[in-house]
Amino acid sequence: ALLASSSASAIEWLQTRTGIDLSRVAQLGGHSYPRTHRPANGMVGAELTFALAREVKRFEKKGALRLLLGCRATALQTDAAGAVVGVAYTDAAGGSASLLATDTVLATGGFANDRSDTSLLEKHRPDLLRFPTTNGPWATGDGMKMAMAIGAGTVDMDRVQVHPTGFLDPADLAAPAKVLCGEMMRGVGGVLLSPEGRRFVDELRPRDKVVEAELATGASEFTLLLNGAMAAEAGRHLEHYAHKGLLVKLQGTPALARWMVASADGADKQTAEQAVARAAAVDAAAAAAVEATLNATLEEYAAAAAAGEEAPFPTDEEHHGQVLRLVEQGDWGALLGADQLAASRAAGEAFVGFEEGPIAFAPTFKVERSSELVYQQKRIPSYCDRVLWKSAAGLRGAVSQTSLAALPRVSTSDHKPVVATFSLTPSEALRGTMQEVRSGGSRGSRGSSRKSSLFGNVSSSFAAGSASFTGSRAYASLDVVRPTVRIRGLSASELVDMDYTGGCDPYCVVSANPYELLYCAAHEHVLKKGEAAASTVKHGQDCTWPDDEVPLLRLRGVRTAALPHTTLLLAVLDKDNVILGKDDPVGVVQVPLRPVGWSQDSDLPPSFEVEFDEPLVQGMASTDLKSGRPLGRLRGTLSIATTAEAIEEALAEARADGAGEKARTVKLGASAFERRWRCC
C-alpha cells in the first residue's frame, strides 16, 4: 500500500533531482491500467543508473561523501556489545582495510546467482537451481551472509521471483546467465508462442502466472513475436537486443515457422544468422504444421485486436471441448496425464505414501443429475472422486485393490460415485500375539484407545485390530523375545526453515506402531507416544546426531514372527526457544522392522540391518506448502537383533560404544496443533 500511495511522489522526486525524462507511461504485466514510466527514447534502467550516478558524483565533488571503488566487503565489524561499528574490506590493491561508521547500511543485492558451496539459493529455493538467472555474477548474497555471520535474522528468503523471459544467446545456448528480455517487450504487444506456434497465455498477466503457463506447456524455450509497429514502439530496447544478436528479423509466417523448427534443435548454433540459413533445410512437414498453427493463432489475434477485444488463446469452452473429445475416445491416459492430484502427489504436496489403483473410466465431476453421463459446461470434467489407501510401513502389501469402478447411472449429485473392493491379508503373527496377550491377562483393553498425538492415530494402522502391549503380566506365559533396535548414523538434511529468522534447531523423537511397543534401554523407560529423543542440534538444517545421543531401543514382549509387521516412527521437531513457545513438528518417517526383500514365508535372521533415506512427511505432504520446498530428509541405519544370543551380543557392543547413554526422554503435550497433525 505504501509503495502504491507514494509512487507519484517518488516519480516527481526522480524527475526533479535528476532531470530524467519519464514521460512515457505503459501498461505492463499484472497492471489494470498504464502506470509504468519510462523515457520517451531510452532504456529506463540505464537512464536511471546514469542519472543517479551523476548525482552521487556531484555530492562527492562537494566533499559530502567518498566513493571506494574496486573494493570487496568481507565482514561486518562489531564492538564488545555486538553492535555494528563498520565494515572490513579488501581494497583495490588487494590489501585489508576497515571503515568505521556510526551507521552501516547494507545494499548488496540478492542471491539468485549464488551457486557456491554456501549457496543461499540452494538453501532456500533449491527448486530454482535448475533455472538460469538474469542476475550478474555479483548477485551471490554476500551482504546477507555477512549479516547472518554476526547473528542477524532473515525474513522471506524464499521469495525469489522467476521472470518469464530471458534471451537465449545463439553463441552460448547453455550459458547459466541470460540477458533479461524486459517486460516492456511484452508490454508493447509481444506475443509468446509455444514451440508449436500456439499462443497459450495473456502476456500481461502477473509474472508468476505467465511462468505457471509456460511450465504447464512442458517446454523450456519459447518465441516472443513482435510485428513492425511493436518493434517501433520498443525503440532503443529493440536496438539494444538486436545489437547483441538476440533478435532475428523474419518476413512472413513461412520463414518464421522454418526458423522456429530449426531453433528447436540448436545445440550447434553459433549465430542467429546461421540459424536462419539452416531454416531452409528443415523438415517440410514439421515446418508446415507449425506454420498452420501460427496462421490460425495470428489470424485470431488480429481479428480480436481489430474488434477491440481481448486477444484469444484457448478458452474454458475450448478446454472443455478438448476434454470431452478425450472422454469420447476413452483416452484415460491423456486425461490422467493432466490430473492435478497426480501432479501434487508426485511433487510431495498431498497423499504422500498413499496408493491408488488404475483408473479406467470417465471423469466423475461435474455432471448433471441424471442417469446418463452429461457434463456441466461451468466446470472442466475432472477426476474428483478417488479411492486411495495407506498402511503403516510394517503392513504395506497387506491391502490390495481388486476392483475400481464408477457408477454413472447413479444421479444423486453432481458427482458420480466411485466404488472399490479390496483384499485384506491380516497378519497372523500380530493377531496371534494379541490373542495371547489378552489371554495372558494384559490390560489390552487400552489398545482400543484412539488418543492422538504427534505421531497421529497410529492404532488405526493394524490390518487385524490393535492392542497396547502394557503390563508385565501379559508376557509371563508367552515365549517372547525383546529384540534390540540400535539407530546408527542418524542424520537429517535440507530441513525446511522453521524459525522466524530462518534455520531450524532439530531433535528427533522415536515411537513405534504398535503404540507402547518400545522402551528405552538406557533409562529402562516404557515409551509412550514420542518420549525418547535424540538431542537438539542448534542451527542444524544439515546435521548428524552422535550415536550416544540417539536412544538405544528394545521391543517389549513380541514374538520374532511379529517383528516384520511393526513400524519404527522417527519424528523431527524444531526446538522453539521462545518463552512459552511450542516446538514445531517438521515431519515423520516410517521404517518397517524387517530386512529388505523379506516375504511372509521367510524366517528372520538372528540379526540384520535396515538402511533408510526417506523424505519427512507432515500430515500427507513432504513439502512445505508455503514455500514449495521439501521438508527435508532423514537417514540412518537400524541394527536389529532378534535371538537371545544376538541380543546379548548387540547389547554388549552397544554398551561398549556408549550407544544411547546421552539420549533423553521428553514429554510431548497433546496441543491442539499436535492433535490436528496426522503423520501416520
Side-chain angles (χ1 to χ4, degrees):
L2 179 63
L3 286 174
S5 62
S6 302
S7 59
S9 59
I11 295 294
E12 292 172 2
W13 182 88
L14 278 171
Q15 290 175 315
T16 301
R17 291 294 297 268
T18 67
I20 187 173
D21 170 25
L22 295 173
S23 58
R24 183 71 65 88
V25 182
Q27 180 176 347
L28 300 184
H31 297 180
S32 302
Y33 300 95
R35 59 181 179 87
T36 296
H37 292 251
R38 73 173 192 270
N41 187 26
M43 301 179 69
V44 65
E47 294 291 331
L48 281 173
T49 301
F50 294 148
L52 291 171
R54 285 196 301 268
E55 286 295 296
V56 170
K57 290 177 180 178
R58 188 166 63 87
F59 278 94
E60 183 183 27
K61 289 180 179 179
K62 292 181 178 180
L65 58 84
R66 182 163 61 106
L67 290 177
L68 299 177
L69 302 178
C71 302
R72 182 181 181 87
T74 56
L76 294 174
Q77 295 185 317
T78 58
D79 60 18
V84 177
V85 295
V87 61
Y89 67 95
T90 302
D91 62 25
S96 297
S98 62
L99 179 65
L100 301 181
T102 55
D103 298 287
T104 303
V105 178
L106 282 174
T108 54
F111 54 85
N113 207 357
D114 187 5
R115 264 67 173 182
S116 66
D117 292 339
T118 58
S119 171
L120 293 175
L121 183 65
E122 182 175 6
K123 178 179 181 181
H124 296 286
R125 289 300 301 273
D127 57 307
L128 300 185
L129 287 171
R130 63 191 176 100
F131 291 102
T133 180
T134 59
N135 283 202
W138 53 84
T140 52
D142 297 337
M144 298 176 185
K145 293 175 184 178
M146 288 192 300
M148 289 187 286
I150 62 168
T154 59
V155 295
D156 296 335
M157 294 289 278
D158 61 332
R159 301 297 190 254
V160 180
Q161 185 183 73
V162 179
H163 197 281
T165 49
F167 282 110
L168 281 170
D169 185 349
D172 189 2
L173 293 175
K178 308 296 184 187
V179 175
L180 178 71
C181 179
E183 190 99 6
M184 194 271 297
M185 295 288 280
R186 287 179 283 123
V188 298
V191 178
L192 271 176
L193 299 171
S194 72
E196 300 80 24
R198 179 176 58 86
R199 183 173 182 252
F200 55 91
V201 69
D202 179 351
E203 293 81 3
L204 293 187
R205 295 197 72 192
R207 290 177 182 175
D208 60 332
K209 300 301 182 184
V210 177
V211 170
E212 283 181 11
E214 289 175 326
L215 294 175
T217 67
S220 60
E221 299 180 10
F222 305 91
T223 297
L224 183 64
L225 180 65
L226 285 75
N227 63 16
M230 298 171 190
E233 177 70 13
R236 292 280 296 277
H237 286 78
L238 186 129
E239 295 172 10
H240 173 72
Y241 296 141
H243 178 72
K244 288 179 171 287
L246 302 173
L247 295 175
V248 175
K249 186 175 182 179
L250 299 164
Q251 187 68 39
T253 55
L256 174 59
R258 289 194 298 273
W259 180 84
M260 290 175 65
V261 172
S263 299
D265 182 18
D268 61 341
K269 269 195 298 188
Q270 298 299 315
T271 66
E273 289 75 14
Q274 288 175 337
V276 174
R278 277 201 311 278
V282 300
D283 180 75
V290 172
E291 182 182 349
T293 304
L294 276 172
N295 286 331
T297 297
L298 298 178
E299 287 170 6
E300 290 176 346
Y301 188 97
E309 300 173 351
E310 181 67 26
F313 46 90
T315 63
D316 286 345
E317 291 76 14
E318 291 170 333
H319 188 185
H320 195 282
Q322 292 171 355
V323 172
L324 286 184
R325 285 191 290 275
L326 291 173
V327 171
E328 292 170 358
Q329 296 166 7
D331 194 345
W332 317 131
L335 291 168
L336 291 166
D339 179 57
Q340 290 180 330
L341 178 59
S344 293
R345 289 180 63 200
E349 298 170 347
F351 294 101
V352 172
F354 281 74
E355 298 178 70
E356 184 177 25
I359 295 175
F361 49 80
T364 55
F365 178 83
K366 182 176 178 92
V367 299
E368 301 289 352
R369 292 194 179 189
S370 73
S371 59
E372 304 296 329
L373 190 62
V374 180
Y375 294 102
Q376 295 185 14
Q377 285 291 328
K378 64 179 65 176
R379 294 287 295 273
I380 305 299
S382 305
Y383 287 103
C384 293
D385 306 283
R386 312 288 274 267
V387 178
L388 298 95
W389 69 95
K390 181 181 180 182
S391 302
L395 291 170
R396 286 174 188 152
V399 179
S400 59
Q401 190 179 87
T402 55
S403 69
L404 178 65
L407 303 178
R409 296 183 66 82
V410 177
S411 57
T412 54
S413 77
D414 54 3
H415 294 256
K416 294 296 185 182
V418 171
V419 296
T421 59
F422 292 86
S423 172
L424 305 181
T425 305
S427 167
E428 295 295 333
L430 275 177
R431 186 169 62 184
T433 301
M434 293 173 190
Q435 290 171 346
E436 291 173 332
V437 167
R438 289 169 182 148
S439 66
S442 80
R443 294 187 296 274
S445 60
R446 289 178 57 191
S448 61
S449 169
R450 295 292 175 178
K451 291 190 298 181
S452 298
S453 75
L454 171 68
F455 293 96
N457 196 348
V458 296
S459 62
S460 64
S461 299
F462 288 92
S466 58
S468 180
F469 295 91
T470 57
S472 59
R473 290 183 300 154
Y475 312 116
S477 62
L478 300 180
D479 181 17
V480 297
V481 294
R482 296 189 296 171
T484 58
V485 179
R486 181 176 176 182
I487 308 172
R488 303 173 187 262
L490 182 64
S491 65
S493 63
E494 301 176 355
L495 296 179
V496 71
D497 287 332
M498 299 298 296
D499 298 333
Y500 178 72
T501 57
C504 182
D505 306 310
Y507 63 96
C508 186
V509 176
V510 185
S511 186
N513 184 347
Y515 167 48
E516 291 185 354
L517 182 63
L518 296 174
Y519 74 92
C520 185
H523 300 280
E524 289 294 321
H525 176 69
V526 176
L527 300 183
K528 308 294 183 181
K529 292 182 181 176
E531 290 185 332
S535 59
T536 301
V537 180
K538 193 70 174 174
H539 303 305
Q541 287 179 296
D542 296 282
C543 60
T544 298
W545 285 275
D547 286 357
D548 62 353
E549 297 180 5
V550 179
L552 176 63
L553 307 169
R554 296 197 69 180
L555 276 71
R556 305 171 60 232
V558 59
R559 293 190 307 170
T560 304
L563 190 62
H565 306 294
T566 60
T567 302
L568 191 70
L569 307 174
L570 299 107
V572 175
L573 294 92
D574 170 56
K575 182 67 176 177
D576 196 333
N577 296 310
V578 179
I579 297 176
L580 300 180
K582 295 184 180 298
D583 295 350
D584 299 315
V586 181
V588 168
V589 301
Q590 300 186 33
V591 186
L593 300 184
R594 61 191 183 205
V596 176
W598 177 86
S599 61
Q600 186 74 36
D601 55 356
S602 301
D603 293 330
L604 286 177
S607 62
F608 58 92
E609 291 190 340
V610 180
E611 294 184 357
F612 61 93
D613 184 354
E614 299 289 336
L616 290 163
V617 177
Q618 185 179 147
M620 294 189 293
S622 60
T623 58
D624 176 35
L625 299 184
K626 290 183 179 180
S627 66
R629 285 192 56 208
L631 297 173
R633 300 189 70 86
L634 193 67
R635 58 180 61 87
T637 301
L638 304 183
S639 297
I640 303 169
T642 63
T643 64
E645 182 178 353
I647 290 169
E648 289 303 317
E649 291 180 1
L651 285 174
E653 180 185 0
R655 287 166 182 151
D657 295 341
E661 287 184 353
K662 297 181 182 179
R664 60 195 180 100
T665 58
V666 296
K667 188 69 175 178
L668 297 177
S671 68
F673 180 76
E674 290 169 346
R675 287 196 298 272
R676 289 196 300 270
W677 192 41
R678 299 290 181 265
C679 297
C680 304

